[in-house]
Amino acid sequence: MSIKRLFVSGMFMTGALIALQARELPVYLDDSKPIEERIEDALSRMNLKEKIAVTHAQSKFCSPGVASLGIPEFWMTDGPHGIRPEVKWDEWDQAGWTNDSCVAFPALTCLAASWDPSVSMLYGKAIGAEARYRNKSVLLGPGVNIYRTPLNGRNFEYMGEDPYLAAQMVVPYIHGVQQNGVAACVKHYALNNHEVNRHTTNVIVDDRTLHEIYLPAFKAAVQEGNAWSIMGSYNLYKDQQGCHNEYLLNDILKGDWGFDGVVVSDWGGTHDTEQSITNGLDMEFGSWTNGLSNGASNAYDNYYMAQPYFKLIEEGKYGTKELDDKVRRILRLAFRTTMDRNRPFGAMLTREHYDIARKIGEAGIVLLQNTNNILPIKIDKPIKIAVIGENAVKMMTVGGGSSSLKVQRELSPLDGLRSRLSGIADVVYARGYVGDASGEYNGVVSGQDLTDNRSTEELIEEAVEIAKSADYVIVFGGLNKSANQDCEDSDRESLALPYAQDRLITSLAAVNKNLVYVNISGNAVAMPWIKDVPAVVQAWYLGSESGSAIASVLCGDVNPSGKLPMSFMSELDHYAAHKLCAYPGVKRDNSKFLDLEYSEGIFVGYRWADKHKVKPLFSFGHGLSYTTFKYGKVTADKKYIGTDDTLTFSVDVTNTGERAGAEVVQLYISDKKSSLARPEKELKGFCKVFLEKGETKNVKIKIDKDALSFYDDKRSQWIAEAGIFEALVGSSSTDIKTKVTFELR
Ligand code: BGC
């Protein structure tokens, strides 16, 4: 008998005699065996009831394991910026735990704005460790839905408008999370590009656009990130909900991409038992989650993939082929997470996690405008700074929907500045505008009472008064996490800043020339006053270390190096979706459903701006520094390449300013002649390079035929068409510094 490992099944003690009864370890428990063998063994030991049970939730965020085999339950958590506080078993109400506060990391827009995959890896590792410590098996995130409209209330949870950038940034996050033995659950697959009518919108998009714009980040998450789970989306595509969508889940995800993980439904995104059986859904969550109104004892039995599934098998309509496939995937998830004896234990609220949160924030803050170099704040003599605006004090980790958090602490921009400038500057504050005075989401309270009943005039008057005598005026405005701002389940109503902020900013600009506007948002906003405000900073939602990260950048301790992951347009009509009235869709007669055609096709964001000569307010990839960079001439290592070759571009970049800094060198490819219409240029490579004052580095960026290909929907394949291409290297999508031509033969 080959007994590789033994485990103790019983222990009997008689006097000094200890008898150990040992038996052979079942294959599924033997971690020296390949996972696939263990899966088959576990599957063979499960009865039908147990198999059905693992495919659906047993509480808001938990699904059963296999009790008879000692396979633990699965615990899910939002995601994607920190670990969500515990809710009750059956309700959204807070469970009232006192040990579920977390570190809030910056929103994913900020991570994308860092253009630094190593920062993404740090993010994943740290949030994964927090999830692991809290005993979670699956982190519901990251999100990679493409930024199609600036009205989307959930853009802050995603990684911008460009599929290549989102793909590069999502992969390390997943690796980092999963190193902790916690699965990343990439969401929301697919085409969930805004929130209004998210359960009833049927997206119509051509195959080429689907493959070139909306799928690449998901594909990279699966094939390069090896994501262990993926979340279906609420919306419909080809008239089927994303959570049981034959084409997206069976054909593309599991078929073409070879995904071997678990498809988790979005909460309440499952609508049909037979489609769930046949169309690729593996785990159902959030249907009728109020167990009380459906009968506490059997609420979860009513799930589409519970009793109704059992019944269809009993009636002989379905066998167990589909079920066994789902269970295999779920067991695979168990062996990768809860059943992995070697996974680390995780850690929570560590100094290191706060440092990482701050580092991500500092790397992602974008200096949009800095006329006459008024930033960084000059602190060589005692100064007075007037800080104005609700967003200087408002806690932003509470609100926004499922990504809302309960944080151990959150440093506001005002407190961050006060602490950094203590003894150096006199920092005075005025509210300036009243936006969202509440501070509650889903039972978590910020503890801030921001009620202020003064009129707009009174608020502006007070702000103007303190601004007059200040050396600097720093306005913290933008959006917040309340409904119709940056918030799940609703979209913004316009591109404009809300709460009369434009009036406030214009009034301040009239009395003080040293005006800095810091925009806190996950979305572009219109800036009609842009010519009157010398410095503009995009500071996203930065989480626990918001105040310290912002203070470091404003005071010049850190040189800003973030670049926009989406175009900031000056008008809503400059976004294709709005110009073409392709948002939010057209209601079908006598039906709750809407049809929405992505009629702009592949021309999203800068691709649209290039094609229609729209001048962005701030371009995709734009971001300034406190130093300056000079680009040399880009060269290619070959003039002609074949489809199996790689091509390396190299360019010298020199820091020509007075301090160390980082530049994101961006490579765009332009196809000079093609059988299908192509964007003027597309991002296909980038490299963030750190340079000391006066230093020159040679930056190399390598591409292969993937960077030259388009998706031909007639042939259903990626094609690299022979011809002349141009490699454009620059500092943003509209600031190309140098280019070189090459030919694909
Ligand atoms: C959201 C998901 C989230 C889930 C669980 C849904 O409403 O769309 O992103 O993970 O709720 O909270």
Side-chain angles (χ1 to χ4, degrees):
M1 185 168 65
S2 77
I3 301 176
K4 282 218 178 101
R5 295 184 49 170
L6 297 174
F7 80 101
V8 177
S9 66
M11 189 184 276
F12 309 92
M13 208 176 275
T14 46
L17 185 76
I18 298 171
L20 293 176
Q21 196 185 38
R23 60 182 160 86
E24 196 174 359
L25 192 65
V27 170
Y28 79 94
L29 283 178
D30 184 348
D31 51 20
S32 70
K33 290 273 180 356
I35 279 195
E36 297 309 309
E37 245 176 73
R38 298 173 72 195
I39 292 171
E40 291 310 316
D41 183 52
L43 186 72
S44 71
R45 293 167 195 265
M46 291 169 70
N47 61 36
L48 183 58
K49 232 171 132 196
E50 288 171 320
K51 289 181 182 176
I52 297 263
V54 294
T55 65
H56 60 273
Q58 61 176 0
S59 84
K60 285 275 184 219
F61 282 98
C62 167
S63 63
V66 191
S68 66
L69 300 182
I71 296 178
E73 298 164 333
F74 294 95
W75 280 91
M76 320 274 154
T77 177
D78 287 298
H81 307 139
I83 309 309
R84 184 174 180 159
E86 304 297 331
V87 297
K88 287 185 178 160
W89 186 262
D90 252 347
E91 295 156 58
W92 289 112
D93 297 355
Q94 291 301 301
W97 291 19
T98 51
N99 60 348
D100 57 351
S101 305
C102 66
V103 173
F105 298 93
L108 292 193
T109 36
C110 173
L111 175 63
S114 75
W115 292 60
D116 187 343
S118 71
V119 167
S120 185
M121 175 61 117
L122 284 178
Y123 195 134
K125 272 187 177 170
I127 195 172
E130 298 237 334
R132 172 66 187 102
Y133 191 82
R134 286 263 300 278
N135 253 321
K136 304 301 179 189
S137 358
V138 178
L139 176 76
L140 304 175
V144 285
N145 295 91
I146 289 291
Y147 191 103
R148 176 174 181 263
T149 158
L151 302 191
N152 178 13
R154 259 185 126 168
N155 277 337
F156 70 100
E157 289 188 65
Y158 303 141
M159 299 206 191
E161 75 184 30
D162 186 78
Y164 180 83
L165 176 64
Q168 293 300 305
M169 295 304 290
V170 75
V171 168
Y173 181 115
I174 297 167
H175 287 160
V177 169
Q178 295 188 166
Q179 278 176 17
N180 292 281
V182 171
C185 185
V186 184
K187 60 193 190 184
H188 305 88
Y189 181 75
L191 300 167
N192 186 179
N193 304 99
H194 67 261
E195 289 296 285
V196 157
N197 305 319
R198 60 180 175 165
H199 296 273
T200 49
T201 298
N202 177 49
V203 174
I204 301 167
V205 62
D206 61 78
D207 262 14
R208 178 171 179 209
T209 305
L210 182 70
H211 284 273
E212 289 192 19
I213 304 291
Y214 295 99
L215 293 186
F218 288 106
K219 186 178 180 188
V222 169
Q223 295 192 326
E224 294 161 48
N226 292 320
W228 295 337
S229 63
I230 205 161
M231 185 188 285
S233 63
Y234 284 137
N235 55 281
L236 297 91
Y237 168 62
K238 291 191 193 283
D239 274 331
Q240 271 177 357
Q241 269 92 2
C243 295
H244 30 72
N245 191 292
E246 189 180 4
Y247 187 66
L248 290 174
L249 299 176
N250 283 349
D251 296 354
I252 298 181
L253 177 70
K254 293 181 174 176
D256 297 349
W257 299 349
F259 176 65
D260 68 357
V262 169
V263 173
V264 179
S265 78
D266 198 346
W267 269 230
T270 312
H271 301 269
D272 185 278
T273 298
E274 294 202 44
Q275 286 189 18
S276 303
I277 295 173
T278 57
N279 294 357
L281 179 63
D282 301 311
M283 267 186 175
E284 177 187 2
F285 272 84
S287 316
W288 309 309
T289 44
N290 183 347
L292 298 177
S293 58
N294 285 278
S297 63
N298 70 350
Y300 297 93
D301 290 344
N302 295 331
Y303 269 41
Y304 292 99
M305 293 225 283
Q307 279 298 338
Y309 195 177
F310 197 78
K311 213 165 143 259
L312 287 173
I313 291 182
E314 265 188 342
E315 286 168 1
K317 179 138 197 216
Y318 290 92
T320 56
K321 184 171 143 270
E322 298 87 355
L323 181 61
D324 285 345
D325 178 64
K326 298 178 200 301
V327 177
R328 281 192 182 95
R329 290 168 183 274
I330 294 166
L331 289 169
R332 196 172 292 122
L333 180 68
F335 290 122
R336 286 167 163 171
T337 58
T338 53
M339 295 290 284
D340 175 3
R341 280 181 243 261
N342 297 320
R343 70 178 176 157
F345 294 103
M348 223 169 84
L349 304 171
T350 64
R351 182 64 255 165
E352 194 199 358
H353 291 178
Y354 281 104
D355 288 347
I356 289 173
R358 177 174 171 160
K359 190 174 167 171
I360 301 161
E362 290 170 348
I365 291 175
V366 185
L367 180 63
L368 293 175
Q369 173 160 292
N370 195 19
T371 313
N372 298 330
N373 294 327
I374 78 157
L375 285 176
I377 299 167
K378 318 285 174 293
I379 44 180
D380 43 2
K381 59 176 185 359
I383 51 170
K384 179 177 163 191
I385 299 183
V387 172
I388 291 159
E390 182 172 288
N391 284 353
V393 295
K394 186 169 173 60
M395 266 184 84
M396 289 294 189
T397 50
V398 177
S402 56
S403 62
S404 181
L405 297 171
K406 176 165 133 192
V407 289
Q408 187 192 41
R409 60 184 158 85
E410 175 179 344
L411 189 69
S412 71
L414 179 62
D415 287 343
L417 275 173
R418 283 206 163 125
S419 140
R420 170 62 181 83
L421 295 172
S422 139
I424 303 171
D426 177 19
V427 180
V428 291
Y429 175 70
R431 179 73 172 268
Y433 70 93
V434 175
D436 171 33
S438 74
E440 193 265 339
Y441 180 80
N442 192 205
V444 176
V445 290
S446 69
Q448 289 183 305
D449 181 7
L450 296 177
T451 312
D452 191 328
N453 294 321
R454 285 176 293 170
S455 68
T456 303
E457 287 67 32
E458 288 170 310
L459 290 161
I460 293 182
E461 202 179 305
E462 181 197 43
V464 165
E465 216 34 58
I466 69 161
K468 278 180 185 159
S469 56
D471 296 288
Y472 287 91
V473 180
I474 308 179
V475 184
F476 288 88
L479 309 178
N480 55 45
K481 301 280 192 71
S482 62
N484 297 119
Q485 302 287 317
D486 282 323
C487 185
E488 180 176 341
D489 208 14
S490 67
D491 286 346
R492 297 164 67 199
E493 283 159 356
S494 89
L495 188 63
L497 280 173
Y499 319 125
Q501 290 180 72
D502 288 339
R503 258 176 77 190
L504 169 71
I505 296 165
T506 311
S507 310
L508 293 169
V511 297
N512 197 313
K513 294 285 160 244
N514 280 343
L515 181 59
V516 178
Y517 173 67
V518 182
N519 191 56
I520 308 284
S521 75
N523 259 317
V525 300
M527 301 183 185
W529 32 256
I530 191 68
K531 290 200 171 60
D532 303 321
V533 178
V536 180
V537 175
Q538 176 61 31
W540 317 110
Y541 297 107
L542 299 182
S544 290
E545 289 287 350
S546 180
S548 51
I550 290 173
S552 326
V553 168
L554 294 182
C555 297
D557 308 332
V558 164
N559 194 348
S561 61
K563 300 273 188 175
L564 288 180
M566 75 286 282
S567 309
F568 271 42
M569 303 294 186
S570 48
E571 291 170 36
L572 197 54
D573 259 12
H574 292 179
Y575 292 92
H578 298 279
K579 177 74 185 171
L580 303 177
C581 301
Y583 165 95
V586 181
K587 213 162 174 344
R588 289 184 198 163
D589 292 342
N590 302 321
S591 150
K592 63 177 182 180
F593 293 106
L594 295 90
D595 286 313
L596 168 59
E597 190 171 350
Y598 286 7
S599 40
E600 71 281 9
I602 55 174
F603 297 99
V604 175
Y606 67 88
R607 291 165 169 82
W608 176 264
D610 281 351
K611 182 171 155 83
H612 294 278
K613 309 280 172 256
V614 173
K615 190 174 173 326
L617 173 64
F618 295 110
S619 307
F620 172 81
H622 170 75
L624 303 172
S625 164
Y626 296 148
T627 185
T628 45
F629 301 101
K630 192 167 154 288
Y631 283 64
K633 170 114 194 63
V634 63
T635 56
D637 67 350
K638 303 176 194 78
K639 206 164 165 32
Y640 308 102
I641 59 162
T643 45
D644 294 332
D645 296 336
T646 60
L647 186 58
T648 302
F649 302 102
S650 85
V651 62
D652 281 346
V653 183
T654 306
N655 180 346
T656 48
E658 291 307 311
R659 58 169 76 208
E663 167 70 331
V664 178
V665 178
Q666 301 162 39
L667 168 76
Y668 296 86
I669 298 290
S670 175
D671 188 350
K672 297 321 279 173
K673 193 160 165 255
S674 150
S675 57
L676 291 187
R678 301 203 67 181
E680 198 173 296
K681 60 178 176 305
E682 295 185 281
L683 183 77
K684 293 297 173 185
F686 61 87
C687 174
K688 191 163 193 170
V689 57
F690 293 84
L691 295 166
E692 295 299 333
K693 172 182 163 185
E695 192 185 6
T696 298
K697 275 188 186 158
N698 182 257
V699 173
K700 290 199 187 329
I701 302 179
K702 188 154 117 183
I703 61 158
D704 59 22
K705 73 166 186 315
D706 289 352
L708 312 178
S709 306
F710 58 81
Y711 189 85
D712 184 339
D713 36 6
K714 301 253 161 11
R715 290 191 264 178
S716 300
Q717 65 189 50
W718 287 90
I719 304 284
E721 212 169 57
I724 308 286
F725 292 82
E726 232 171 24
L728 312 170
V729 172
S731 184
S732 85
S733 60
T734 54
D735 186 10
I736 300 303
K737 310 277 191 189
T738 169
K739 50 189 174 184
V740 61
T741 302
F742 61 95
E743 188 177 343
L744 176 69
R745 285 183 162 175

